[in-house]
Amino acid sequence: MGMIQEYQCPSCNEIWKVATGHGFIHGSFERVLEVFPANIQAKILKDANGDKDPLFQFHYRPALCRDCHSIVAVPVFRFLEHSGVYVTGCPKCGSITELIEDNRSITCPKCGKGSLSTEEIGCWD
């Protein structure tokens, strides 16, 4: 089950609600591939080496987009048996994003001043 995270800036009062994790629909390799654009699907399939059901980990992860000054959720795929991590760009503008690894020290991407507060506000599936 996924979680809905809320990020809020105390300086500019901007709020982002981001759906992280994964749902029941993401239990199969085929369904997970569908969330990626064709170019990333091709890379994943190539690295799967013909395995129709490889061991993998999939989550939507929070990320910073420095181009559109936003916090977004991006799909992240990783093979468990060999290297290879696949991440899409920003769903709003297509730019490269920076995954948020530690929720404790995030500077606001909009104003650059505030340290964001983070709270889990719900679940999704």
Side-chain angles (χ1 to χ4, degrees), residues 10-46:
S11 295
C12 68
N13 294 317
E14 186 71 28
I15 296 174
W16 296 271
K17 293 179 182 174
V18 180
T20 61
H22 61 276
F24 288 117
I25 194 169
H26 303 112
S28 74
F29 181 58
E30 182 178 284
R31 295 303 291 260
V32 167
L33 279 177
E34 293 173 358
V35 304
F36 290 93
N39 64 326
I40 295 178
Q41 285 182 24
K43 290 177 186 177
I44 293 171
L45 287 169
K46 180 180 180 253

Side-chain angles (χ1 to χ4, degrees), residues 8-119:
Q8 184 170 7
C9 177
S11 295
C12 68
N13 294 317
E14 186 71 28
I15 296 174
W16 296 271
K17 293 179 182 174
V18 180
T20 61
H22 61 276
F24 288 117
I25 194 169
H26 303 112
S28 74
F29 181 58
E30 182 178 284
R31 295 303 291 260
V32 167
L33 279 177
E34 293 173 358
V35 304
F36 290 93
N39 64 326
I40 295 178
Q41 285 182 24
K43 290 177 186 177
I44 293 171
L45 287 169
K46 180 180 180 253
D47 289 346
N49 295 320
D51 188 348
K52 302 254 187 235
D53 194 20
L55 295 175
F56 67 91
Q57 181 181 57
F58 171 81
H59 292 26
Y60 282 96
R61 300 261 318 268
L64 293 170
C65 179
R66 302 287 182 196
D67 285 357
C68 67
H69 309 288
S70 190
I71 297 177
V72 295
V74 294
V76 178
F77 177 95
R78 179 174 79 84
F79 286 107
L80 295 179
E81 295 180 327
H82 54 84
S83 64
V85 176
Y86 309 86
V87 181
T88 66
C90 175
K92 293 182 178 185
C93 71
S95 298
I96 294 173
T97 59
E98 175 187 335
L99 293 176
I100 296 172
E101 301 294 341
D102 182 3
N103 282 338
R104 289 177 279 163
S105 59
I106 305 167
T107 302
C108 179
K110 183 176 178 186
C111 72
K113 297 176 184 174
S115 182
L116 302 181
S117 63
T118 306
E119 181 180 358

